[in-house]
Amino acid sequence: MSVATKVRPSGASARQSADARRQQVLRAAVAEFAAYGLHGTSTERIAKRVKISQPYIFRLFPSKKDLFLAAIDQCFDRVENAFRAAAENPEKLDHGTECGHFGNGPVDVRLHAMGHAYAGLLAERELLLFQMQAYAACSDDEVRGRVRQRWQALVNLVTELSGASRESVTMYFARGMLMNVVASMGMVPDKGGRAWAHEALGFA
Amino acid sequence: MSVATKVRPSGASARQSADARRQQVLRAAVAEFAAYGLHGTSTERIAKRVKISQPYIFRLFPSKKDLFLAAIDQCFDRVENAFRAAAENPEKLDHGTECGHFGNGPVDVRLHAMGHAYAGLLAERELLLFQMQAYAACSDDEVRGRVRQRWQALVNLVTELSGASRESVTMYFARGMLMNVVASMGMVPDKGGRAWAHEALGFA
DNA sequence: CATGTAAGTGATTAAACACTAACTTCCCCG
DNA sequence: CGGGGAAGTTAGTGTTTAATCACTTACATG
């Protein structure tokens, strides 16, 4: 088409393996679904983001819902990884000041570390937003099944990693869900995650 | 409905004032939106629920999104009312046992009372589910504006009604949001709201 | 009864969307 | 070189859906 040699016609990216494409599509899907939800997102938007044709999505994933389910898995995977990472080296955050959220036992310290890990996820806002969309789409049986399963696995993971009491873990997750909601509303806590509740609650 | 006078030709309900209809549509909308979200709900479903024709929806509300916005207001109104009611007579719940969530000061007692009020909202699951859908639809500017506004008003209300510290109020809302999420996943806490976290966290 | 107004519907439309089918282009391997 | 398979596209289908419009039915009031 163009005059010159073999130059990629325009911004179009080179050929890639189907698996690589699938990963790209998956990340794009998380981003789009995070903003507009299962029903509010069109496969065309996702395709545009990856710069492939819309029908090609359906060669990579059998259906839109399957893509959504895969996105759920990817999202929870990423969160779990963040937690595992935080649990492995919790020492790197003993920043003199107290958050006041937890006690001082070694257990609570670990939970505290993971709390900061979750706060760190705020940097990838789409992860929190997508979670909300996943919960919101739970009137669909398949979605609900997957979400439940991953949620329970996540709770178990945090419980085991932290060794914290059920009570503590509950409040830990409660705070996390509050963060999700606040993130959805676009009231993002400040970077440290320290005084985030401050603004979140409207006393900014 | 009986044989006698003025039997409506078929199951169709009688004529009503536009305002009355608007209220019916609004309640139906909350129910449907709660399950399927802004984009997942068709105006036809809502119309069917009220047993009116689909186009009539658009005589009562200018657009689907306006209906959604009105539903947001109705939902938050209902929650606020529940809170106000709980704050007015907090004595009616001193059930010997402790929840362990709060201290024993008169302030915390009031917050505690409102906590049970929120737990009571579990009975109307659609209210919690709709809230989630509202948060999830926040990538829309108008929706986000409305949700933020009502959220802040709610936080202020709870703060004033309870007189509790910012910290307490934060954790109060955190628990509430966790309840929303758990409700979305269909893991409903037991009636008393006592040991609800139990099952919520997968130790059922 | 005449008449004006509010309640409500059926038919329709234009766009968006998930998904299919058939075709082309590129690259690797013998 | 050539052929086969994988990557990717263009064109198209059937359906759903928000919104419009022209129309009818019920009711109140003078």
Side-chain angles (χ1 to χ4, degrees):
Chain A
M1 290 175 187
S2 78
V3 197
T5 65
K6 280 299 133 80
V7 178
R8 289 277 146 224
S10 65
S13 59
R15 274 165 88 102
Q16 289 180 267
S17 81
D19 275 357
R21 276 291 191 226
R22 240 184 294 269
Q23 289 311 311
Q24 291 177 30
V25 169
L26 216 38
R27 291 193 82 91
V30 169
E32 288 294 325
F33 282 139
Y36 305 107
L38 171 53
H39 301 290
T41 303
S42 68
T43 55
E44 193 166 357
R45 285 189 64 96
I46 297 171
K48 276 225 173 72
R49 199 176 251 259
V50 191
K51 283 176 179 143
I52 58 174
S53 67
Q54 177 262 346
Y56 190 40
I57 300 259
F58 292 90
R59 181 146 315 189
L60 301 172
F61 295 89
S63 77
K64 186 186 175 185
K65 199 162 87 178
D66 284 293
L67 176 52
F68 191 78
L69 292 171
I72 290 175
D73 279 328
Q74 215 220 216
C75 174
F76 274 91
D77 283 347
R78 286 209 251 166
V79 173
E80 284 186 0
N81 286 339
F83 282 167
R84 267 188 261 267
E88 274 173 16
N89 44 352
E91 68 280 358
K92 81 162 174 204
L93 60 79
D94 56 339
H95 47 40
T97 93
E98 284 295 319
C99 281
H101 294 322
F102 298 98
N104 289 340
V107 163
D108 280 335
V109 161
R110 256 178 299 174
L111 198 57
H112 187 178
M114 291 169 59
H116 280 264
Y118 202 86
L121 288 180
L122 282 172
E124 290 167 279
R125 234 165 63 85
E126 63 176 27
L127 239 54
L128 304 197
L129 300 188
F130 181 88
Q131 263 186 66
M132 291 295 286
Q133 299 292 354
Y135 301 134
C138 273
S139 74
D140 178 284
D141 290 349
E142 285 182 84
V143 170
R144 187 175 57 248
R146 189 71 61 101
V147 167
R148 265 174 140 154
Q149 169 187 324
R150 299 300 308 241
W151 167 273
Q152 296 216 351
L154 191 63
V155 171
N156 291 341
L157 180 71
V158 168
T159 304
E160 285 162 21
L161 284 182
S162 71
S165 71
R166 195 174 295 167
E167 181 80 9
S168 295
V169 173
T170 301
M171 291 320 289
Y172 176 77
F173 271 84
R175 215 187 328 267
M177 294 310 106
L178 178 55
M179 281 172 65
N180 286 359
V181 170
V182 167
S184 293
M185 284 187 293
M187 306 156 144
V188 191
D190 53 309
K191 303 307 154 69
R194 201 101 39 88
W196 68 274
H198 211 233
E199 314 182 20
L201 292 171
F203 301 103
Chain B
M1 292 195 184
S2 72
V3 199
T5 65
K6 278 290 137 77
V7 181
R8 290 278 143 217
S10 67
S13 62
R15 272 166 90 102
Q16 287 182 270
S17 80
D19 275 358
R21 276 291 191 223
R22 239 184 294 268
Q23 289 311 311
Q24 290 177 33
V25 169
L26 218 37
R27 290 193 82 92
V30 169
E32 288 294 324
F33 281 139
Y36 304 107
L38 170 54
H39 301 289
T41 304
S42 68
T43 55
E44 193 167 356
R45 285 188 65 95
I46 297 171
K48 277 226 172 72
R49 197 176 253 258
V50 190
K51 284 175 180 144
I52 59 175
S53 67
Q54 176 262 344
Y56 191 38
I57 299 259
F58 291 90
R59 181 149 312 192
L60 300 172
F61 295 89
S63 76
K64 187 187 175 186
K65 198 163 85 178
D66 283 292
L67 175 53
F68 191 77
L69 291 171
I72 290 175
D73 279 326
Q74 213 218 222
C75 174
F76 274 92
D77 283 347
R78 286 209 250 165
V79 172
E80 285 186 0
N81 286 340
F83 282 168
R84 267 188 260 267
E88 273 174 18
N89 45 351
E91 68 280 359
K92 81 166 176 199
L93 59 78
D94 55 340
H95 48 40
T97 92
E98 284 295 320
C99 280
H101 295 322
F102 299 97
N104 288 340
V107 164
D108 281 334
V109 160
R110 256 179 299 175
L111 199 56
H112 187 178
M114 292 168 60
H116 278 265
Y118 202 86
L121 288 181
L122 282 171
E124 290 166 280
R125 235 166 63 87
E126 62 177 26
L127 239 53
L128 305 196
L129 300 188
F130 181 88
Q131 263 186 67
M132 291 296 286
Q133 299 292 354
Y135 301 134
C138 273
S139 74
D140 179 283
D141 290 349
E142 285 182 84
V143 171
R144 187 175 58 248
R146 190 71 62 101
V147 167
R148 265 173 140 155
Q149 169 188 323
R150 300 299 310 241
W151 167 272
Q152 295 217 349
L154 191 63
V155 170
N156 291 341
L157 180 72
V158 168
T159 304
E160 286 162 21
L161 285 181
S162 72
S165 71
R166 196 173 296 165
E167 181 79 9
S168 294
V169 174
T170 300
M171 291 319 290
Y172 176 76
F173 272 84
R175 214 187 328 267
M177 294 309 108
L178 178 55
M179 280 172 64
N180 286 358
V181 170
V182 167
S184 293
M185 284 187 294
M187 305 155 145
V188 192
D190 54 308
K191 302 308 153 70
R194 202 102 39 89
W196 68 274
H198 209 233
E199 313 182 22
L201 292 171
F203 302 102

